[in-house]
Amino acid sequence: MSTPHLRPSDHRGGERTRHGRSSTTTNGFCKPQRFRVARSRARGKDLPVLITPMPGSSREALRSALINVHETIVNLRGGGGPDALSRALAYLDWCHEAQRRLRNQVRPAELDYLVPPKSYEVVLSAAGSFGFGPSGERLINGLVSTQLDERVSVLQAALDDLTEQVKRFERHAELLVLDTNVYMEHPEKIEAWDLAGDLYLGFEDVHIIVPLVVVDELDKGKRQGTEKGYRAGYSVAYIDRITNEQGGVIRPKDFSVEEKARGSVTVEVLLDPPGHVRLPINDDEIVDRAVAVQALAGRPVRLVTYDTKMAMRGRHVGLRVHRLEQPEKEKEEEKHPRRRRGREAKGGDREAEVEQIRDPAVRAARAGELINVRQQSMGHLSRIRREAMEEMVADGLNHSQIADQTGLARQRVGHLLAAPPADKTLAAEGQPAPE
């Protein structure tokens, strides 16, 4: 099964990001991403909602209640009474009982889908208006039969979908939801980060769950002309590639070297279900999705974040929370903002900083950013970028992979690697060299 979709929220309203920018409320996102979506079927159509346990309930209690009301209406469809009026009254009685059984198990929107008030009102009105005579009997029988068939079909689809989602999270792995700021601010890339070691999980397998709202935030964040923007773009491209080409496996189990032994690391994207309306605040939406997964999994989900307010939100709803400390470099810059601004005003210091970046992809992307804003010594920066890209080629990356990691077009990567190296003499004198 591909990525599951979680329950819709009962909250309404336009969505705002944590940074004050408007965020999409649609189910999709920009075209380059191709995350796969699972569909629930009811009579050949997409199930408009996904039934999940309310906070305080459990998947076992919800499944038991669904089975009970489903079996009751199946029996009612096979019998129900000697005449049309008796069948109608039996259906209305089932509606009352189903509402009572499910009221504390699912949210109001989901309850209205399973036992719609409109169908109750239609049958009640028909029973009161056409209760006598052959024509009335025929009309009521047809109406009740239609409603019974619909309810049986919908309840069966809800049961099947709930079972499918529960199986999805029965894997023996620690379930993690990473806040958006983790992808953008953590010093290590997602594939290089020792999650199990840093979160004290030992040799446990790790499964990362990425709510679609996080993908949308990363997609917006990649437009920033900073290293955080590069991290955002790289993360969303990497998650897209790894879920589509490698089945979501970031790293398999490896116990070959004792001091580096770790369990597997996998990732999946949770797409919004059909008709889903997000919460107005993205932090709340991320937490809400994590809570829904926790209810389906029947075990704790761990929320990882740099944000204190996000950590408080997670603890309040019963998630396990791991709050990371900000990287030391950022802490030092926060203490000395004037020193940071003065250093950034000097092109030479910026170039020196770029040369010190170990990761060739980050180094190439940062050099390209400085070239784009026409800083000094463009020849020097061009050489830095080219050397970084040559390192990536030596590491076995093709032009498409380099393009994903540096934010350049694939054709541009090929052009830069094929061009003659920049003249180091000109670069040293601070004169632009041809790219």
Side-chain angles (χ1 to χ4, degrees):
M1 175 189 162
S2 55
T3 56
H5 36 250
L6 301 180
R7 67 164 178 77
S9 166
D10 299 323
H11 299 269
R12 302 277 173 177
E15 180 183 349
R16 300 286 294 178
T17 68
R18 284 168 282 170
H19 307 293
R21 296 186 302 272
S22 177
S23 175
T24 180
T25 57
T26 62
N27 292 335
F29 46 94
C30 65
K31 290 183 180 178
Q33 277 69 41
R34 302 176 301 279
F35 300 112
R36 292 166 293 180
V37 60
R39 299 286 186 179
S40 300
R41 300 286 176 176
R43 300 193 66 174
K45 300 180 181 179
D46 291 341
L47 193 64
V49 298
L50 183 68
I51 311 302
T52 54
M54 281 184 66
S57 182
S58 67
R59 58 184 188 176
E60 291 81 10
L62 173 56
R63 180 172 174 77
S64 175
L66 286 173
I67 290 174
N68 179 269
V69 297
H70 179 260
E71 289 178 348
T72 303
I73 200 167
V74 168
N75 293 334
L76 181 59
R77 185 172 63 171
D83 53 50
L85 186 58
S86 297
R87 292 187 72 213
L89 293 175
Y91 173 75
L92 296 175
D93 186 56
W94 173 86
C95 289
H96 286 296
E97 182 63 17
Q99 289 269 355
R100 186 187 68 81
R101 288 295 306 270
L102 297 173
R103 185 178 298 116
N104 296 324
Q105 302 293 333
V106 297
R107 296 181 179 272
E110 299 163 1
L111 182 58
D112 288 348
Y113 174 70
L114 294 173
V115 190
K118 187 175 181 180
S119 70
Y120 175 90
E121 293 168 1
V122 167
V123 172
L124 180 62
S125 176
S129 303
F130 305 101
F132 304 98
S135 298
E137 289 266 335
R138 189 164 54 253
L139 175 63
I140 294 173
N141 265 326
L143 185 60
V144 171
S145 295
T146 299
Q147 294 300 326
L148 290 173
D149 290 342
E150 286 285 345
R151 294 310 101 214
V152 168
S153 176
V154 165
L155 286 166
Q156 184 61 59
L159 271 169
D160 293 343
D161 202 69
L162 177 62
T163 301
E164 198 173 1
Q165 302 303 325
V166 167
K167 288 181 179 178
R168 180 65 176 173
F169 296 105
E170 283 182 344
R171 64 177 72 219
H172 297 289
E174 187 76 16
L175 301 177
L176 303 183
V177 172
L178 308 184
D179 193 8
T180 309
N181 55 38
V182 176
Y183 297 97
M184 298 177 68
E185 300 178 24
H186 196 276
E188 298 286 346
K189 293 180 179 178
I190 184 173
E191 70 270 27
W193 184 15
D194 182 10
L195 280 162
D198 288 354
L199 302 181
Y200 310 105
L201 302 177
F203 304 121
E204 289 288 330
D205 294 335
V206 172
H207 186 61
I208 302 170
I209 299 163
V210 188
L212 185 59
V213 63
V214 172
V215 175
D216 289 341
E217 284 197 315
L218 291 173
D219 197 54
K220 291 179 181 294
K222 73 182 183 183
R223 297 179 177 86
Q224 301 176 19
T226 62
E227 187 167 336
K228 288 184 181 180
Y230 159 74
R231 290 284 187 181
Y234 174 83
S235 296
V236 75
Y238 178 80
I239 292 170
D240 178 33
R241 185 173 68 252
I242 210 72
T243 52
N244 283 300
E245 297 178 5
Q246 300 185 35
V249 178
I250 296 175
R251 191 167 59 245
K253 291 183 180 181
D254 184 6
F255 297 105
S256 57
V257 182
E258 184 174 352
E259 58 270 19
K260 294 184 179 180
R262 285 290 181 265
S264 65
V265 179
T266 54
V267 64
E268 70 171 301
V269 177
L270 296 177
L271 297 186
D272 294 342
H276 177 69
V277 178
R278 292 183 181 173
L279 298 179
I281 300 174
N282 281 353
D283 276 357
D284 291 337
E285 175 72 10
I286 294 170
V287 169
D288 183 71
R289 303 297 252 161
V291 170
V293 172
Q294 185 166 267
L296 289 168
R299 55 197 175 93
V301 170
R302 189 184 299 264
L303 176 67
V304 183
T305 182
Y306 280 114
D307 188 2
T308 301
K309 291 186 293 183
M310 185 66 154
M312 294 172 67
R313 283 179 167 95
R315 293 191 190 99
H316 179 70
V317 296
L319 298 174
R320 287 182 179 175
V321 176
H322 189 104
R323 182 176 173 275
L324 300 170
E325 294 294 329
Q326 290 286 349
E328 292 298 325
K329 181 179 177 181
E330 291 191 10
K331 285 185 176 181
E332 189 64 26
E333 289 181 348
E334 288 172 4
K335 293 178 183 178
H336 306 285
R338 291 184 180 179
R339 183 187 306 172
R340 180 178 72 249
R341 287 195 297 269
R343 183 173 65 247
E344 290 179 348
K346 300 177 182 179
D349 286 346
R350 281 191 165 188
E351 293 170 18
E353 288 179 5
V354 172
E355 282 194 294
Q356 296 301 316
I357 298 175
R358 294 183 179 181
D359 190 314
V362 179
R363 190 162 70 250
R366 184 59 178 152
E369 291 170 4
L370 295 181
I371 291 172
N372 290 338
V373 295
R374 301 193 178 279
Q375 297 289 333
Q376 298 176 357
S377 302
M378 289 176 60
H380 188 199
L381 291 167
S382 296
R383 178 177 61 81
I384 292 173
R385 178 169 65 178
R386 181 190 175 92
E387 289 176 351
M389 292 167 66
E390 287 173 347
E391 285 184 41
M392 298 169 75
V393 171
D395 289 339
L397 274 67
N398 58 37
H399 288 189
S400 295
Q401 293 169 325
I402 294 174
D404 284 342
Q405 296 191 23
T406 59
L408 295 169
R410 185 180 180 279
Q411 291 181 341
R412 181 65 173 157
V413 171
H415 172 73
L416 291 174
L417 288 173
D423 190 328
K424 295 184 180 181
T425 304
L426 290 175
E429 294 174 358
Q431 301 179 23
E435 292 189 19

